[in-house]
Amino acid sequence: LRVCALRDPLELRSLVTCPMLALVLLAFYGVVSQPNDAETWSLFAAKWLVPFALYRLAAYIFDDERSLLRFETFSLIVLAYLSLTAIFFMVDAKELIFPRYILDESLGYHADRARGPFLQAVANGVTLNLLGLIALNSFRRKRLRGVPGFLFLIALPLAIVATKTRAVWLSFALSILALLFFSPSRRLRRVCLCFVIAGILGLASVVTFADHNTSLGDRLEERGPVMFRMAIYQAGWEMFLQKPFTGWGAADMQAELSKRISDFHQDQFFFHNTYLEILVQYGLVGLLLYLWVVVDLFKLGRKQNQSLLRRDSDLLGSQFRKLWPVLLGVYLLNGSFVVMNYQFVNGFMFTVAGLLLAQNRRIEAPEPNPLGS
């Protein structure tokens, strides 16, 4: 509505747009073959349509400093809520968890973990990791400081541990270490060092003093899910070799996968790998389009003319562009262990990409000539 009211021109020639639009159309073609399946439409929206729409619209909505500050404030509020919810779950203070449906074991997956309102521990953990990196950028700019900043340093590592998800633990550790060793900001390196210390102390205290969290060690040593995923990966690769170019489609893919997995008994099987699922479902064409999207996402944050970028004290300063590859790395690494069907994660990542797109347009736009020549 805002774009229509202000008559903003819709520019379709930009990074990410072409391959993402092609993926939306490719996925839509598969969805219309199952028009009465509500889950298929939901996945189509969560994986392709809504992220693409948010990416395009964010470039027009968040076009000034005030709107960017509101987006940052929203991110910090969500981070605080998710962190508190995860910690309440870990210390068994479930009477403080809101909304109550989070505790319903018949809904979603991993009811024994801090899964938050997303009802999936990985979705909760990836969101905490991404929002935590945004908060680190706020801490570097001194927008997050004092008591809230101190509580943030303590709460986030504990919330990450509470997810009991190895992929989330790995991506969080790698992202913090990457910033600790390669960030040009001394303040950011110091806070990452504090994260490392707080994480070690928090993990040690949880394992030592909380009897109901002794499952953390068992979770690290658990091998059943690894064997299950290896069987899924092998079956998926064999399916790809049968239809390498066109793929199987959503309906045939699930039916064929269920036939090939005989050692495990479940109602549905998932690939637990975003790239393998795209390869099997859409073939090489789909995977190449997705890789095109990934390359364009990295290009969005490439180094621009420093004099035209926002100040480092602003949300999208030059330092943020150095943080963007880390955000993408967290997203892509977790995509190697799960299928990114998570609405909030996809929406948030592509919204931030839209913010960078808007800034790139402002930088590349020719300055008006006051003499008209």
Side-chain angles (χ1 to χ4, degrees):
L1 291 175
R2 181 182 186 275
V3 171
C4 294
L6 298 180
R7 298 182 180 181
D8 291 330
L10 294 176
E11 300 177 12
L12 295 179
R13 296 176 59 185
S14 60
L15 292 172
V16 180
T17 299
C18 290
M20 192 67 176
L21 180 60
L23 281 170
V24 169
L25 296 176
L26 186 63
F28 179 76
Y29 177 78
V31 169
V32 293
S33 64
Q34 299 174 281
N36 298 322
D37 190 340
E39 182 179 354
T40 302
W41 284 102
S42 177
L43 291 175
F44 166 68
K47 293 171 63 175
W48 310 115
L49 182 61
V50 172
F52 176 70
L54 289 176
Y55 170 71
R56 296 296 310 174
L57 293 177
Y60 298 97
I61 303 304
F62 300 100
D63 61 346
D64 56 28
E65 189 60 28
R66 185 179 181 184
S67 62
L68 289 175
L69 289 176
R70 287 179 175 176
F71 176 80
E72 183 181 25
T73 300
F74 163 78
S75 301
L76 296 177
I77 291 174
V78 174
L79 174 63
Y81 162 68
L82 293 179
S83 298
L84 287 175
T85 301
I87 293 173
F88 291 156
F89 190 94
M90 181 173 63
V91 300
D92 203 26
K94 296 182 179 179
E95 64 277 1
L96 300 177
I97 293 178
F98 177 84
R100 303 297 297 173
Y101 74 81
I102 297 173
L103 303 175
D104 190 343
E105 297 184 3
S106 65
L107 299 176
Y109 302 93
H110 310 310
D112 59 325
R113 309 183 200 174
R115 57 186 186 172
F118 306 112
L119 300 181
Q120 220 281 5
V122 180
N124 193 35
V126 176
T127 303
L128 285 166
N129 199 346
L130 295 176
L131 293 174
L133 292 173
I134 297 294
L136 279 175
N137 187 52
S138 303
F139 196 92
R140 177 189 62 80
R141 293 162 41 238
K142 299 183 179 180
R143 187 157 190 258
L144 182 63
R145 56 184 176 179
V147 175
F150 176 76
L151 294 177
F152 159 70
L153 291 178
I154 300 300
L156 182 59
L158 292 176
I160 292 291
V161 170
T163 62
K164 299 181 184 179
T165 305
R166 287 171 288 191
V168 172
W169 292 346
L170 177 63
S171 63
F172 179 73
L174 291 178
S175 62
I176 295 301
L177 290 175
L179 294 177
L180 176 63
F181 290 107
F182 300 108
S183 174
S185 170
R186 183 178 301 176
R187 180 178 174 84
L188 193 55
R189 292 198 300 270
R190 286 200 301 264
V191 74
C192 286
L193 179 61
C194 292
F195 258 123
V196 172
I197 297 173
I200 293 174
L201 294 177
L203 180 60
S205 62
V206 168
V207 173
T208 303
F209 299 108
D211 293 338
H212 58 276
N213 279 309
T214 55
S215 59
L216 289 175
D218 297 336
R219 176 62 182 155
L220 283 171
E221 300 174 359
E222 190 176 1
R223 307 199 61 84
V226 176
M227 298 174 61
F228 174 71
R229 293 190 182 198
M230 294 304 299
I232 291 286
Y233 294 159
Q234 182 178 354
W237 182 251
E238 293 173 354
M239 290 172 62
F240 160 70
L241 293 178
Q242 283 191 285
K243 296 184 178 181
F245 299 106
T246 59
W248 287 80
D252 294 339
M253 178 185 70
Q254 183 60 230
E256 182 67 20
L257 184 60
S258 299
K259 293 178 182 178
R260 293 172 180 262
I261 304 298
S262 57
D263 296 334
F264 301 90
H265 302 284
Q266 291 187 194
D267 296 332
Q268 283 185 310
F269 292 94
F270 304 98
F271 282 109
H272 296 282
N273 186 295
T274 299
Y275 318 110
L276 180 60
E277 183 183 84
I278 292 174
L279 191 62
V280 175
Q281 188 170 354
Y282 302 116
L284 284 173
V285 174
L287 183 62
L288 290 175
L289 287 172
Y290 193 78
L291 293 177
W292 185 359
V293 170
V294 171
V295 171
D296 278 0
L297 286 173
F298 276 105
K299 287 182 178 180
L300 281 174
R302 62 189 171 187
K303 188 176 181 180
Q304 298 284 348
N305 188 338
Q306 296 292 331
S307 62
L308 297 177
L309 284 175
R310 295 179 182 270
R311 303 183 307 274
D312 275 349
S313 59
D314 296 332
L315 174 62
L316 296 182
S318 59
Q319 293 285 346
F320 183 83
R321 290 181 175 269
K322 298 173 183 177
L323 182 65
W324 174 241
V326 181
L327 283 164
L328 280 177
V330 169
Y331 181 78
L332 296 173
L333 177 62
N334 282 277
S336 301
F337 299 97
V338 295
V339 178
M340 281 295 177
N341 296 335
Y342 311 134
Q343 299 93 324
F344 187 88
V345 174
N346 291 332
F348 184 82
M349 280 299 300
F350 280 89
T351 297
V352 176
L355 305 186
L356 289 172
L357 175 63
Q359 187 181 61
N360 290 345
R361 284 175 175 171
R362 287 190 294 269
I363 293 173
E364 296 168 0
E367 296 183 3
N369 191 333
L371 299 179
S373 60

